[in-house]
């Protein structure tokens, strides 16, 4: 386990390395360094800043995985290397960000479901993400492609009528369980059914079948299959339109 001082040094060195990148492929290399920086910052927060356990027995940092991720990105773009150590600037910012998040929780002002709520184990999350740090252009492209797909799913889901959203959310969350686990820290997505994900995690990754979901909504299995496939077909068509128009 790295000490607090070792992590602090690595965080500041990673931030310096981000700004030292120049020449060809600057954007791609900086994205790689940024993901590395986030991993270090999250580990630091988890072990030494927000280490108090939540109701699930996980370090409190897991509850604010998304806020920490967003804050790292925001800080690195606003940070002036000549102003001092990056970590000092980040810590001042994250206190405010999490303070605002806590206020919203207390007032019940949650516009979006947080994908951070589906974290099973903070240590395994960190290990997984560190092992998946992009080492090549193709790996980075893969991460960006999945984020783009999730963004399209979100837009298509928001077009649905409120009366069917819970049903569609359950079906899509069960179908995309593995991908949702992988990308839980990146953004807020309302199409994710937190109950479905949490239940699956309690059952060692076993998601409910379409038949079980259909029955819970008093529908037939054929309806569940048709609804899920129709929705995903719409997502694929939207992606094809984006490709045809040169948007991706």
């Amino acid at each position: 386990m790295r000490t607090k001082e070792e992590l602090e040094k690595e965080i500041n060195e990673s931030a310096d390395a981000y700004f030292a990148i120049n020449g060809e492929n600057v954007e791609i290399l900086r994205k790689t360094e940024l993901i590395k920086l986030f991993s270090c910052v999250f580990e630091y927060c988890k072990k030494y800043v927000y280490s108090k356990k939540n109701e699930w027995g996980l370090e409190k940092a897991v509850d604010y995985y998304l806020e920490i991720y967003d804050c790292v990105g925001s800080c690195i773009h606003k940070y002036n290397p000549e102003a001092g150590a990056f970590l000092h600037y980040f810590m001042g910012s994250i206190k405010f960000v999490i303070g605002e998040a806590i206020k919203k929780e207390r007032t019940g002002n949650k516009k979006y479901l947080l994908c951070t709520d589906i974290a099973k184990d903070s240590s395994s999350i960190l290990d997984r993400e560190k092992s998946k740090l992009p080492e090549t252009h193709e790996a980075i492209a893969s991460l960006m492609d999945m984020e783009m797909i999730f963004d399209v799913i979100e837009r298509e889901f928001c077009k649905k009528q409120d009366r069917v959203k819970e049903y569609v959310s359950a079906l899509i969350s069960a179908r995309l369980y593995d991908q949702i686990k992988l990308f839980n820290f990146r953004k807020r997505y309302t199409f994710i059914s937190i109950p479905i994900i949490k239940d699956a995690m309690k059952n060692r990754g076993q998601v409910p079948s379409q038949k079980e979901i259909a029955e819970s909504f008093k529908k037939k299995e054929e309806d569940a299959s048709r609804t899920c496939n129709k929705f995903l077909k719409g997502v694929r068509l939207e992606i094809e339109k984006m490709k045809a128009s040169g948007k991706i």
Side-chain angles (χ1 to χ4, degrees):
M1 176 186 294
R2 285 177 289 185
T3 66
K4 182 178 180 181
E5 292 72 22
E6 288 172 339
L7 274 172
E8 289 175 345
K9 180 181 179 183
E10 187 166 350
I11 289 167
N12 290 323
E13 288 179 347
S14 184
D16 291 340
Y18 176 91
F19 288 102
I21 294 171
N22 54 48
E24 296 182 358
N25 301 318
V26 172
E27 183 177 354
I28 291 175
L29 293 174
R30 280 190 168 182
K31 284 180 179 177
T32 303
E33 193 64 46
L34 186 58
I35 295 175
K36 176 183 176 182
L37 175 63
F38 169 70
S39 282
C40 292
V41 170
F42 179 71
E43 183 176 357
Y44 181 80
C45 289
K46 181 173 71 73
K47 291 180 179 177
Y48 303 111
V49 184
Y50 302 106
S51 56
K52 183 179 178 180
K53 302 290 184 179
N54 63 17
E55 62 180 314
W56 297 90
L58 307 176
E59 288 83 356
K60 197 68 177 176
V62 174
D63 290 345
Y64 302 106
Y65 201 106
L66 180 64
E67 282 78 8
I68 294 170
Y69 177 83
D70 288 343
C71 191
V72 170
S74 177
C75 286
I76 201 69
H77 290 299
K78 297 177 181 178
Y79 171 64
N80 180 358
E82 297 179 358
F86 172 80
L87 184 58
H88 179 74
Y89 178 58
F90 169 81
M91 290 308 301
S93 300
I94 195 62
K95 287 179 181 178
F96 173 80
V97 170
I98 291 183
E100 289 299 301
I102 292 173
K103 287 181 183 178
K104 289 181 180 180
E105 290 171 2
R106 288 174 178 171
T107 58
N109 181 17
K110 294 186 177 181
K111 183 176 181 182
Y112 300 100
L113 292 174
L114 295 184
C115 295
T116 53
D117 289 342
I118 66 176
K120 180 181 180 183
D121 179 85
S122 55
S123 297
S124 63
I125 289 172
L126 183 61
D127 292 341
R128 273 203 311 274
E129 296 310 320
K130 288 173 70 176
S131 69
K132 291 181 173 64
L133 289 177
E135 298 292 341
T136 66
H137 299 183
E138 291 76 13
I140 294 173
S142 178
L143 288 173
M144 296 176 69
D145 286 347
M146 183 53 69
E147 183 174 3
M148 179 272 294
I149 292 170
F150 270 39
D151 288 347
V152 174
I153 292 174
E154 178 72 4
R155 289 197 296 272
E156 293 300 301
F157 178 76
C158 289
K159 296 176 184 178
K160 292 291 182 182
Q161 296 181 359
D162 289 342
R163 64 183 179 83
V164 300
K165 279 187 174 180
E166 186 179 359
Y167 181 43
V168 173
S169 173
L171 292 170
I172 298 304
S173 296
R175 177 74 69 90
L176 302 178
Y177 172 73
D178 289 335
Q179 292 85 347
I180 289 170
K181 283 202 307 175
L182 176 61
F183 289 90
N184 71 76
F185 69 94
R186 298 182 70 79
K187 285 185 179 180
R188 294 176 169 96
Y189 290 109
T190 62
F191 72 83
I192 293 174
S193 171
I194 301 303
I196 289 290
I197 301 302
K198 284 185 175 179
D199 286 346
M201 287 180 169
K202 290 177 183 177
N203 294 311
R204 298 184 178 182
Q206 183 64 45
V207 297
S209 66
Q210 285 189 340
K211 181 180 180 180
E212 291 170 331
I213 293 174
E215 290 177 347
S216 69
F217 284 89
K218 301 186 185 315
K219 296 181 182 292
K220 295 182 178 180
E221 182 179 1
E222 294 79 7
D223 180 82
S225 178
R226 182 170 58 252
T227 298
C228 187
N229 290 335
K230 182 179 178 180
F231 180 84
L232 293 177
K233 181 180 179 180
V235 170
R236 288 193 292 270
L237 289 174
E238 183 60 26
I239 292 173
E240 290 302 319
K241 289 179 182 178
M242 293 171 66
K243 289 180 179 179
S245 63
K247 293 182 180 179
I248 57 174

